Amino acid sequence: MTTRREFLGAGSAGLCLSAAPFALLAQQPSAKVARIGFLGSASASSPASLARVGALRAGLRDLGYVEGKNIVVEFRWAEDKYDRLPDLAAELVRLNVDVLVSQGTSGTLAAKRATTTIPIVMPNAGDPVSTGIVASLARPGGNVTGTTYFNPEISAKRLEILKEAVPRMKRVAVLLNPVSPLVVPILREMGIAAESLKLEIQQYEARAPKEFENAFAAMAKRRVDAAVVVDEAMLIANANAIAALAVRQKLPSIGFLEFAEAGGLMAYGVNLIETFRRAAYFVDKILKGAKPADLPIERATKFGLVINRLTARAVGITIPQSILLRADRVIE
């Protein structure tokens, strides 16, 4: 996969998730107020969710939107329980929101099944064509638009980086959430990469944080040499817990950008916080009359590589200089 790497700094992470009080709207009786629905797959209180919502709000402010004055945001969070997504999406549809912003591929699929008329903006769908969200990137053809970021290919690239960092590895664990619609394309791409690298990949499932311990216990029992954590809302929201378990087992690991910040060994991927900020652009276009079908889906082209040398020492490995020189950030 040919990419241009440019690691962007995290967006605003400390903003509150609560919607603006309706009392403020009463003070603006003549103002045109747009209602935005936000369908979150993960936990509202996780650092990842706080950062993403903060970035979306910052992007909206940059375009002149002020909560309580000309927009109001209705939040609904599944709290890592994906079976709640259809009901939450239907609830937002009943509120007759003007635009629905969806988190992740699972959230976007739930939103699309709930409405064919309300415009949907997806900040971070992993592969919207193969999962049936849109007909094509250039011509979405329905009520969904936004950004995609090559999730299957990124997972395969992580495998290559991990092999370079740990040349001795033969068996690699892949930690994933089996309910994700991207499991099949991710494992397919990783399988192709594993074959060329002469690696055996083993699948370990976690549908909720309570299953992490058992997954890592199974990895230890089968003596895997390293682990790859795939991009998925529930896993991202629980990066700290996953990274801690990997370090406890002295297991070299790689995942999404927040993973290295949380204590994982390495991270490679898209700055998803920035894609949420970019989602404001699509929201603005739609509120001004554009149709989602006419807004081509953007493909993220900015990627980052982060190395955590503190974790490298903790798990007992030395990161090769070839990787350190390519890193956008090294945590000392």
Side-chain angles (χ1 to χ4, degrees):
M1 178 179 67
T2 301
T3 62
R4 177 168 61 87
R5 299 185 293 108
E6 177 184 349
F7 180 47
L8 298 174
S12 303
L15 298 178
C16 176
L17 288 176
S18 60
F22 281 94
L24 291 177
L25 301 181
Q27 300 171 16
Q28 309 276 344
S30 62
K32 167 63 177 172
V33 179
R35 179 174 288 188
I36 300 170
F38 186 98
L39 180 62
S41 302
S43 169
S45 60
S46 75
S49 295
L50 289 166
R52 284 156 176 68
V53 171
L56 173 64
R57 280 177 155 151
L60 290 169
R61 285 198 306 272
D62 289 345
L63 294 168
Y65 295 96
V66 180
E67 288 184 71
K69 182 178 179 180
N70 55 5
I71 61 165
V72 63
V73 184
E74 298 280 356
F75 289 95
R76 297 295 183 274
W77 294 92
E79 300 291 337
D80 300 325
K81 298 178 178 64
Y82 288 7
D83 57 347
R84 297 182 58 198
L85 286 169
D87 288 341
L88 295 175
E91 189 175 331
L92 289 170
V93 170
R94 286 194 297 271
L95 291 175
N96 197 29
V97 296
D98 297 293
V99 184
L100 205 164
V101 179
S102 55
Q103 182 187 25
T105 303
S106 296
T108 303
L109 283 169
K112 184 181 178 183
R113 289 163 184 154
T115 178
T116 58
T117 56
I118 295 174
I120 299 168
V121 173
M122 53 178 190
N124 64 334
D127 191 342
V129 176
S130 72
T131 53
I133 293 173
V134 296
S136 74
L137 300 186
R139 299 178 183 276
N143 63 325
V144 183
T145 189
T147 306
T148 184
Y149 67 103
F150 321 110
N151 194 341
E153 291 88 345
I154 286 174
S155 295
K157 182 65 176 179
R158 288 178 185 145
L159 197 60
E160 296 173 11
I161 296 171
L162 194 57
K163 175 64 175 177
E164 185 178 350
V166 190
R168 62 173 174 77
M169 77 176 190
K170 298 295 183 183
R171 294 182 300 276
V172 184
V174 180
L175 181 66
L176 51 80
N177 184 343
V179 305
S180 169
L182 287 171
V183 165
V184 172
I186 284 174
L187 290 176
R188 181 175 61 243
E189 291 295 329
M190 292 190 75
I192 294 170
E195 185 175 357
S196 67
L197 295 168
K198 295 181 171 53
L199 296 173
E200 175 192 344
I201 58 173
Q202 300 176 2
Q203 177 180 336
Y204 295 85
E205 300 179 351
R207 294 171 178 80
K210 64 182 180 181
E211 298 181 8
F212 293 156
E213 290 274 0
N214 287 341
F216 275 88
M219 292 179 203
K221 185 175 182 179
R222 297 185 68 180
R223 297 185 179 182
V224 299
D225 301 311
V228 177
V229 185
V230 304
D231 294 62
E232 191 276 329
M234 185 275 293
L235 299 178
I236 293 172
N238 293 280
N240 292 75
I242 297 169
L245 284 165
V247 172
R248 186 194 305 173
Q249 291 193 12
K250 296 190 179 300
L251 194 64
S253 56
I254 188 169
F256 38 85
L257 292 186
E258 290 94 339
F259 186 62
E261 297 283 349
L265 177 63
M266 297 187 294
Y268 174 77
V270 173
N271 187 326
L272 295 179
I273 295 172
E274 191 63 25
T275 67
F276 273 79
R277 192 180 189 110
R278 181 61 177 170
Y281 159 82
F282 292 96
V283 171
D284 176 58
K285 287 289 187 182
I286 290 167
L287 292 179
K288 290 177 177 175
K291 298 183 183 301
D294 299 329
L295 295 174
I297 290 168
E298 296 181 352
R299 303 174 69 168
T301 58
K302 300 169 183 176
F303 298 82
L305 174 63
V306 182
I307 309 298
N308 192 321
R309 294 185 78 173
L310 292 172
T311 301
R313 288 191 285 271
V315 301
I317 71 167
T318 300
I319 301 294
Q321 193 68 15
S322 60
I323 295 179
L324 292 174
L325 289 174
R326 300 201 309 270
D328 298 275
R329 185 182 175 201
V330 178
I331 301 172
E332 298 286 356

